[in-house]
Amino acid sequence: MPTLYKTYHPFVSPYDPCPSLGPRTYSTPPNLYIGFQPPNLPQYSPREALRKGTLWKVFYDPYYSPYEKWKG
């Protein structure tokens, strides 16, 4: 499975007066990597699905703040 977090290094000009911010990270949702919804995907129970926000386990993607340590 592809990673849900990607990193890139922004261009820093040698004439830029500001210090570099370093590598930047962004989140990609799991539905980008599934072209269509295959049959018989594993499902959460109805109560757990309400807590997670999705019925299917492959589409669950928790959000973590960039200032919080990633709990992956």
Side-chain angles (χ1 to χ4, degrees):
M1 172 136 194
T3 60
L4 299 177
Y5 289 91
K6 307 283 190 268
T7 304
Y8 70 96
H9 299 275
F11 174 74
V12 179
S13 169
Y15 305 108
D16 194 355
C18 301
S20 172
L21 295 176
R24 308 304 294 164
T25 303
Y26 61 97
S27 174
T28 55
N31 60 336
L32 288 177
Y33 305 107
I34 298 177
F36 60 93
Q37 186 173 330
N40 302 322
L41 283 177
Q43 296 181 354
Y44 289 117
S45 67
R47 176 171 285 177
E48 187 70 17
L50 285 172
R51 274 192 233 127
K52 302 263 186 183
T54 182
L55 182 61
W56 296 279
K57 294 180 180 186
V58 295
F59 293 122
Y60 177 61
D61 182 26
Y63 173 78
Y64 299 110
S65 167
Y67 304 108
E68 172 184 15
K69 274 200 173 264
W70 183 56
K71 301 173 185 173

